[in-house]
Amino acid sequence: MIKVINAICYNQEQNECDLVLTDGYYNILCYSYPCVYKKNDNINSNLYCCDSNHVYKSYEDKCKIESINKPYSYKIIGKLIDKTMALVKCNEFYFEIDNILIPNDIQLNDIIEFTCSKIIAI
């Protein structure tokens, strides 16, 4: 279960917020608009990865989430659990990427890695 450990609203009229989410192991910062979440809420929806790139089969055998360079930007290693929806699971997080980016040699249940410039909670 994903939990909101912090919600920083910077435009209350438009419900724009930064959320810090945790699965108990990893913490990630994501953007949310319109934000319907508050601190201590649970999130049961997928997280959308914007500007995903560098998608390839990983040589790692464990899931991993690493922050890179800018706020919201991450390198994610996870299991491809739905190729049509381009759904990747990493621990308790479910990430959606653009399915056009998944190379043909990647199969269901493969461990893949990719980067994204922003994660959005809807």
Side-chain angles (χ1 to χ4, degrees):
M1 178 86 41
I2 303 302
K3 186 173 186 171
V4 178
I5 57 174
N6 202 0
I8 305 127
C9 292
Y10 47 87
N11 186 334
Q12 297 220 343
E13 289 176 6
Q14 295 187 4
N15 292 327
E16 286 185 86
C17 293
D18 282 344
L19 300 175
V20 180
L21 309 178
T22 189
D23 66 350
Y25 189 76
Y26 289 109
N27 292 347
I28 64 169
L29 173 68
C30 68
Y31 172 78
S32 183
Y33 172 79
C35 186
V36 296
Y37 304 107
K38 60 187 183 308
K39 187 175 181 176
N40 296 320
D41 280 353
N42 292 321
I43 294 181
N44 295 318
S45 60
N46 302 334
L47 302 173
Y48 180 73
C49 296
C50 297
D51 301 324
S52 299
N53 55 34
H54 306 292
V55 179
Y56 56 89
K57 193 170 182 175
S58 181
Y59 293 105
E60 302 277 336
D61 60 349
K62 290 185 183 178
C63 296
K64 188 187 308 185
I65 302 172
E66 294 178 350
S67 179
I68 53 175
N69 299 349
K70 298 180 281 184
Y72 312 112
S73 298
Y74 291 90
K75 175 182 175 184
I76 298 169
I77 301 173
K79 183 185 230 180
L80 180 65
I81 61 168
D82 187 322
K83 192 167 181 177
T84 304
M85 300 245 334
L87 193 59
V88 178
K89 184 177 191 286
C90 180
N91 287 0
E92 297 297 316
F93 289 102
Y94 290 86
F95 299 101
E96 285 184 45
I97 62 174
D98 189 343
N99 66 357
I100 293 172
L101 299 172
I102 300 176
N104 289 333
D105 65 333
I106 292 178
Q107 303 300 314
L108 191 63
N109 295 318
D110 281 349
I111 302 295
I112 66 169
E113 56 186 88
F114 60 94
T115 60
C116 65
S117 65
K118 183 184 278 189
I119 297 176
I120 300 177
I122 299 173

